[in-house]
Amino acid sequence: MSYTFGTTASRGVVSKLLLAGYEAVFVGGAVRDLLLGKEASDIDIATSATPAEVKEVFVHTVDVGIQHGTVLVLFEGEPIEVTTYRTEGTYSDHRRPDEVNFVRTLEEDLRRRDFTMNAMAITLDGSLIDPYGGKKDIANRLIRAVGNAEERFREDALRMFRAIRFSAVLGFAIEQSTCHAIDLLANEIRHIAAERLKAEWDKLFLGREPLQAFQYIQETGIGLHLPAYPAALMTACMQGPFLSPLDGWAAFLIAGNLEPAELGRAYKLSNVEKAYLQSVHAAIHMREKGLYTNVDYYRFGERVLLTAESIFNCLHPLEATIEMDEIKGKIAALPIRSKKELAMTGNDLLIWSGEKGGRWVGEWLNKIEQAVILGDCLNEREEIKEWFLDEFERER
Ligand code: ATP
Ligand code: MG
């Protein structure tokens, strides 16, 4: 069987390397995704050329990870990653292999890869190179380590969590001896850097079967060693599927009864991610006190409230639900969506009051914003002027 593979640009890159006398093939996740009939995300190319040789073949290149053998080639306006055939040693700092050795054969390169389904290559003319039986494992929907699973997980413990992440993404089972090796080495995951785990969690949450992954996490005991992992992720409807990684993190937060800052620290979440989790956390608190006010609809917005509501329903299955349409409707009916939509500006306050500028201007803009959201005052210039002069006078 022959496969047509790659974008025009990536085929162009492989062609040029072949013409220059090197080997070059498509590898990794994109090959797996092709056999699965899925759209490939990013196409990786492996080559026998060293990074220096790759840079000689192409005019535009960027050194993105040259010490690991990766050069980014800009070809017909597309960025394409080209990695030299390599093996890697152990990961004694659990982040990066101690050393990578460039090798001249594809076989050796494929052998260092994690799972059989990820250890295949396709040539430009479409033949599949599959020394470890990846195609068969894909047909049987199995995640199987390349070689001896125990050895491979001792080299890099992240691979255990990657197996679990792929079980969520693909809905595949983890082959028995591979799964057994996870049971055995589960506690090794404690050495893995938070950022590496976080990247896999993000993909796990987006998977079609996160529940399957949560089951593996529980069964293998790896959950005991994953930072802050809450067993309650397994229960009721905390199981996903999640609309975004952040919704997964929100379920993680609430299931674990964690503080957003605590979870943020455990997985080195970004400030944007932490702020989102803070909002969901605060929204669920408001919701537990009763229904949302217009101020809540305004400050939390649709995305946070939809997530908060679905988690609230899990926590309190007997309470009435606020339907999605109601949340959307309430937000659509708000007189303004941000302060910028007010029918006046801070400058108007100076004119209307005859006072000099100062901190009070911002404070009064906030009060006007509140009054408009609560419906105490229409968002019309004259109405706001009247409301403001009344209140301003009264507070003096
Ligand atoms: P996705 O489509 O989710 O990105 P992927 O298979 O492309 O899946 P990546 O993390 O992008 O996953 O890695 C690309 C390839 O590099 C993998 O297919 C695998 O061959 C190899 N690989 C990645 N991480 C490891 C690892 N920790 N140990 C061994 N091989 C790995
Ligand atoms: Mg990838």
Side-chain angles (χ1 to χ4, degrees):
M1 182 161 170
S2 157
Y3 300 91
T4 316
F5 196 77
T7 57
T8 320
S10 66
R11 294 180 68 82
V13 169
V14 171
S15 276
K16 278 199 91 166
L17 286 163
L18 294 174
L19 273 173
Y22 303 106
E23 284 180 30
V25 288
F26 301 105
V27 283
V31 176
R32 175 197 71 228
D33 291 345
L34 173 80
L35 295 197
L36 283 164
K38 286 206 310 189
E39 185 97 2
S41 40
D42 39 29
I43 294 169
D44 293 324
I45 291 169
T47 180
S48 60
T50 63
E53 288 167 339
V54 172
K55 288 168 69 169
E56 273 172 29
V57 174
F58 298 96
V59 185
H60 301 291
T61 62
V62 186
D63 292 356
V64 282
I66 208 151
Q67 66 282 30
H68 302 107
T70 304
V71 173
L72 193 72
V73 174
L74 302 173
F75 195 79
E76 292 173 359
E78 246 184 80
I80 313 272
E81 278 198 1
V82 177
T83 304
T84 303
Y85 292 163
R86 63 180 173 89
T87 57
E88 51 197 48
T90 44
Y91 286 59
S92 49
D93 71 347
H94 304 285
R95 283 171 196 269
R96 305 220 166 276
D98 297 332
E99 49 171 9
V100 310
N101 294 308
F102 299 138
V103 294
R104 285 287 176 176
T105 71
L106 175 61
E107 278 264 324
E108 288 172 274
D109 179 274
L110 294 179
R111 194 183 309 141
R112 58 106 180 157
R113 295 176 182 268
D114 48 7
F115 306 110
T116 59
M117 62 183 183
N118 291 343
M120 299 181 289
I122 286 184
T123 60
L124 189 64
D125 59 20
S127 31
L128 183 72
I129 299 164
D130 179 17
Y132 304 104
K135 188 177 173 187
K136 182 162 172 251
D137 283 334
I138 287 176
N140 293 323
R141 305 173 60 78
L142 279 179
I143 299 162
R144 182 196 305 271
V146 172
N148 179 294
E150 234 183 279
E151 275 171 29
R152 303 310 311 285
F153 295 163
R154 281 190 204 282
E155 276 166 17
D156 179 11
L158 182 71
R159 291 171 188 154
M160 298 190 283
F161 194 51
R162 280 174 61 85
I164 290 170
R165 176 273 264 200
F166 281 115
S167 80
V169 172
L170 305 174
F172 284 16
I174 302 176
E175 175 275 328
Q176 213 178 354
S177 68
T178 304
C179 196
H180 183 69
I182 303 179
D183 288 345
L184 199 72
L185 298 172
N187 68 348
E188 295 289 312
I189 203 73
R190 282 175 308 152
H191 303 298
I192 298 298
E195 302 89 320
R196 296 183 78 203
L197 291 173
K198 196 248 171 203
E200 301 297 332
W201 272 116
D202 281 343
K203 292 186 174 176
L204 189 162
F205 287 136
L206 276 186
R208 51 190 236 187
E209 291 187 41
L211 179 59
Q212 161 142 301
F214 301 154
Q215 273 158 351
Y216 277 123
I217 290 173
Q218 205 89 350
E219 279 166 26
T220 58
I222 205 171
L224 297 173
H225 309 287
L226 282 167
Y229 180 75
L233 256 179
M234 277 270 300
T235 58
C237 43
M238 294 282 192
Q239 311 155 348
F242 302 101
L243 292 177
S244 71
L246 272 175
D247 287 338
W249 286 109
F252 194 114
L253 177 84
I254 303 299
N257 203 4
L258 302 160
E259 286 298 321
E262 206 181 344
L263 184 59
R265 237 175 293 126
Y267 285 101
K268 303 243 165 73
L269 302 184
S270 71
N271 288 337
V272 172
E273 290 167 327
K274 281 187 282 192
Y276 181 82
L277 294 181
Q278 289 281 10
S279 297
V280 172
H281 198 246
I284 292 173
H285 269 284
M286 292 308 293
R287 183 69 173 92
E288 284 177 333
K289 290 191 209 150
L291 294 175
Y292 294 125
T293 63
N294 262 4
V295 175
D296 298 322
Y297 283 112
Y298 178 80
R299 80 178 161 131
F300 292 126
E302 184 174 310
R303 185 152 174 237
V304 166
L305 290 179
L306 292 178
T307 301
E309 188 62 17
S310 78
I311 295 175
F312 177 81
N313 292 154
C314 287
L315 298 173
H316 307 282
L318 300 178
E319 302 256 349
T321 308
I322 307 177
E323 296 299 334
M324 205 197 271
D325 284 347
E326 186 177 346
I327 291 177
K328 289 185 175 174
K330 282 273 176 36
I331 290 171
L334 287 170
I336 55 172
R337 237 134 299 166
S338 75
K339 227 183 256 165
K340 279 192 228 113
E341 288 181 23
L342 285 173
M344 42 69 73
T345 65
N347 203 37
D348 289 321
L349 294 183
L350 302 183
I351 298 166
W352 296 339
S353 66
E355 305 267 339
K356 278 213 190 91
R359 263 235 326 252
W360 70 271
V361 178
E363 286 163 12
W364 275 91
L365 276 173
N366 287 343
K367 289 186 198 187
I368 292 168
E369 179 188 29
Q370 286 270 320
V372 169
I373 299 159
L374 290 172
D376 295 345
C377 168
L378 286 179
N379 185 30
E380 279 162 24
R381 210 183 138 77
E382 282 310 307
E383 296 273 341
I384 294 175
K385 181 178 179 185
E386 201 172 305
W387 182 92
F388 165 71
L389 288 175
D390 266 8
E391 296 288 315
F392 194 64
E393 204 50 46
R394 203 142 49 92
E395 287 203 11
R396 283 232 269 204

